[in-house]
């Protein structure tokens, strides 16, 4: 999955990509392999900004793979535990919110 995601990013166009993403893609496009070698040490918010679509396959068919997919999608460009943890937490928040039938209590957030 990380290889495919990096190929998609490399094919562009990209909007709003930051330095970390561009550095990872530059390495990927220059032939650096395997994918962990292109991931940058960064706790920036780029992985978090793009992580929501990882939920889409799980909407139709919930699976524990959601968590592995989240980690891989985040880590393929941002190799940082804080970034990956934030992505996991955000996906969990979104997953819970999508299951709700009414707005959450004010203190839920």
């Amino acid at each position: 999955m990380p290889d495919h995601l990096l190929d998609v990013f490399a094919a562009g166009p990209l909007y709003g990509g930051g330095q970390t993403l561009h550095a990872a893609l530059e390495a990927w496009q220059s032939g650096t392999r395997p994918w962990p070698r292109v991931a940058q040490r960064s706790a920036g918010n780029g992985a978090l900004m793009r992580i929501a679509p990882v939920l889409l396959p799980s909407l139709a068919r919930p699976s524990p793979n959601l968590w592995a997919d989240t980690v891989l999608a985040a880590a393929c460009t941002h190799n940082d535990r804080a970034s990956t943890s934030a992505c996991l937490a955000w996906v969990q928040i979104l997953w819970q919110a999508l299951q709700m039938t009414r707005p959450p209590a004010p203190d839920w957030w």
Side-chain angles (χ1 to χ4, degrees), residues 6-108:
L6 288 164
D7 286 340
V8 169
F9 290 158
L14 293 176
Y15 302 97
Q19 292 176 337
T20 302
L21 175 63
H22 289 291
L25 289 181
E26 186 176 305
W28 186 253
Q29 289 171 317
S30 73
T32 302
R33 301 291 187 275
W35 71 265
R37 292 187 56 214
V38 306
Q40 307 293 300
R41 296 294 260 159
S42 173
N45 67 348
L48 184 66
M49 291 185 340
R50 68 166 193 271
I51 205 67
V54 171
L55 276 165
L56 295 176
S58 292
L59 294 177
R61 193 177 314 158
S63 163
N65 292 339
L66 172 60
W67 309 112
D69 292 346
T70 299
V71 168
L72 293 171
C76 72
T77 58
H78 291 69
N79 181 18
D80 183 272
R81 291 177 185 173
S83 173
T84 301
S85 297
C87 289
L88 285 163
W90 185 236
V91 166
Q92 175 65 12
I93 289 168
L94 293 173
W95 184 252
Q96 289 177 354
L98 288 168
Q99 310 306 312
M100 294 179 180
T101 57
R102 58 180 182 222
D107 61 347
W108 179 81

